[in-house]
């Protein structure tokens, strides 16, 4: 379903929830997979943009039904409305995105609290029963672009200094042995746009958008927080190590971060709406890498 005017979605929602007729509706069209409608800053309705994301929304609801009672992190309680059109509704997690500038302003205690909370979140997800997650619809996370595409499409878009670092990262990425901890069910999308952060109280109130969750190598889980901050990534890893007894290889996380950013850039080089964002993400990695 394509985004249009707010009134279109308002009519659809009120046809099922007539008690919301006097409510305030705010359309949020930035999501790649769905159009979201915020009602009274209390409810979130999600409308899939097309058939593929409709299936993803149904799978997300099934996964969250298994996840929610087994982890400490607040997550959405999705209810599917079959329609037509099909859409979901859940109570809004109070908070907004956490971006780099926001994180940089946080005091030490708030940063540490956030890292501890996310480390626990990943440890709990990785401890879920794999058979139950498979039965709920979890599968492999999306494949990245091949190395050849990273070299041919992404590298020419970068400045000389960043390109040199990226080339070195690709070389190491090609030689990486399998993850020492194998694969796990995990979130694999833990950037600040999927966080509900209460800035007034400097606390994370929940995580959302489990549509891209699934099975992937353990170390891959830690590359997404780098969109927010390398400092946050380190705090999350330290917390996770304490809770699981696993030793996370920081260099491996760094290499995977580079490969992921280059993969996204290679995929979106012809997309004028997003290509500059992808270039910035590679440049940001290059500024903080230890390579």
């Amino acid at each position: 379903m394509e985004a249009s005017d707010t009134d279109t979605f308002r009519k659809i929602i009120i046809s099922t929830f007539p008690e919301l007729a006097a409510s305030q509706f705010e359309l949020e069209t930035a999501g790649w997979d769905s159009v979201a409608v915020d009602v009274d800053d209390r409810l979130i309705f999600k409308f899939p943009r097309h058939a593929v994301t409709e299936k993803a929304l149904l799978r997300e609801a099934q996964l969250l039904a298994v996840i929610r009672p087994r982890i400490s992190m607040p997550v959405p309680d999705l209810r599917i409305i079959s329609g037509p059109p099909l859409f979901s509704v859940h109570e809004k997690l109070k908070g907004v995105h956490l971006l780099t500038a926001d994180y940089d302003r946080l005091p030490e205690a708030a940063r540490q609290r956030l890292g501890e909370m996310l480390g626990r979140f990943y440890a709990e997800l990785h401890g879920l029963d794999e058979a139950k997650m498979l039965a709920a619809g979890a599968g492999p996370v999306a494949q990245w672009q091949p190395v050849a595409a990273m070299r041919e499409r992404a590298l020419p878009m970068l400045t000389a200094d960043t390109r040199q670092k990226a080339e070195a990262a690709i070389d190491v990425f090609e030689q990486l042995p399998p993850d020492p901890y194998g694969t796990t069910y995990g979130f694999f999308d833990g950037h600040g746009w999927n966080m509900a952060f209460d800035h007034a109280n400097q606390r994370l109130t929940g995580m959302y958008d489990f549509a891209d969750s699934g099975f992937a190598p353990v170390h891959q889980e830690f590359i997404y927080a780098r969109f927010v901050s390398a400092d946050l990534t380190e705090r999350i890893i330290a917390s996770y190590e304490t809770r699981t007894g696993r030793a996370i290889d920081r260099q491996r996380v760094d290499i995977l971060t580079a490969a992921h950013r280059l993969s996204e850039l290679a995929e979106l080089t012809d997309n004028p709406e997003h290509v500059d964002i992808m270039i910035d993400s590679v440049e940001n990695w290059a500024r903080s890498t230890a390579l």
Side-chain angles (χ1 to χ4, degrees), residues 9 54 111 144 150 157 161 201 220 225 230 246 248 252:
F9 293 96
E54 183 174 297
R111 293 184 183 195
W144 295 352
M150 297 180 198
M157 308 288 291
D161 288 346
N201 294 301
Q220 187 175 322
R246 290 173 166 174
I248 299 301
R252 187 182 189 99

Side-chain angles (χ1 to χ4, degrees), residues 108-130:
E108 170 65 22
R111 293 184 183 195
Q112 187 59 25
R113 182 169 57 240
L114 177 60
E116 292 282 352
M117 192 172 182
L118 287 168
R120 179 178 181 180
F121 171 58
Y122 295 131
E124 290 176 345
L125 283 182
H126 296 180
L128 294 176
D129 184 87
E130 292 191 359

Side-chain angles (χ1 to χ4, degrees), residues 15-262:
S15 68
T16 303
F17 299 92
E19 68 275 16
L20 299 177
S23 295
Q24 295 294 317
F25 290 72
E26 183 176 349
L27 195 63
E28 300 177 358
T29 61
W32 290 20
D33 296 332
S34 299
V35 175
V37 183
D38 185 321
V39 178
D40 292 337
D41 196 33
R42 182 175 63 86
L43 298 171
I44 297 293
F45 293 83
K46 291 204 301 184
F47 292 83
R49 291 184 182 274
H50 44 72
V52 172
T53 52
E54 183 174 297
K55 291 180 180 178
L57 182 62
L58 290 169
R59 184 175 64 251
E60 181 181 12
Q62 294 171 339
L63 291 170
L64 284 169
V66 177
I67 294 166
R68 193 180 316 105
R70 293 173 172 82
I71 68 171
S72 55
M73 177 74 71
V75 297
D77 185 0
L78 287 187
R79 175 186 170 194
I80 297 294
I81 310 300
S82 57
L86 181 143
F87 61 96
S88 70
V89 58
H90 66 271
E91 293 281 344
K92 183 177 181 179
L93 296 169
K94 297 300 182 181
V96 297
H97 300 158
L98 179 67
L99 306 181
T100 301
D102 303 319
Y103 182 82
D104 289 344
R105 287 192 293 268
L106 291 176
E108 170 65 22
R111 293 184 183 195
Q112 187 59 25
R113 182 169 57 240
L114 177 60
E116 292 282 352
M117 192 172 182
L118 287 168
R120 179 178 181 180
F121 171 58
Y122 295 131
E124 290 176 345
L125 283 182
H126 296 180
L128 294 176
D129 184 87
E130 292 191 359
K132 290 181 179 178
M133 301 316 298
L134 284 167
V141 301
Q143 291 286 315
W144 295 352
Q145 293 289 303
V147 166
M150 297 180 198
R151 287 197 171 103
E152 294 168 10
R153 294 173 60 82
L155 290 181
M157 308 288 291
L158 305 173
T159 61
D161 288 346
T162 299
R163 185 164 59 248
Q164 184 176 14
K165 291 181 179 180
E167 286 176 327
I170 292 174
D171 290 341
V172 178
F173 175 69
E174 280 191 295
Q175 302 302 317
L176 276 182
D179 193 296
Y181 299 117
T183 61
T184 185
Y185 173 79
F187 190 44
F188 299 107
D189 210 19
H191 47 66
W193 297 285
N194 285 339
M195 297 179 189
F197 195 81
D198 179 350
H199 290 272
N201 294 301
Q202 300 177 336
R203 287 184 177 274
L204 183 65
T205 62
M207 298 291 286
Y208 57 90
D209 196 355
F210 282 70
D212 292 326
S213 69
F215 291 93
V218 168
H219 279 73
Q220 187 175 322
E221 188 77 271
F222 305 101
I223 69 175
Y224 303 93
R226 187 82 163 263
F227 278 114
V228 180
S229 169
D231 176 78
L232 176 59
T233 302
E234 174 56 34
R235 292 173 192 267
I236 293 170
I237 290 173
S239 171
Y240 180 88
E241 289 177 322
T242 299
R243 293 182 176 277
T244 65
R246 290 173 166 174
I248 299 301
D249 183 342
R250 273 69 166 174
Q251 185 177 49
R252 187 182 189 99
V253 172
D254 195 23
I255 295 301
L256 292 173
T257 301
H260 175 257
R261 307 307 193 256
L262 291 165

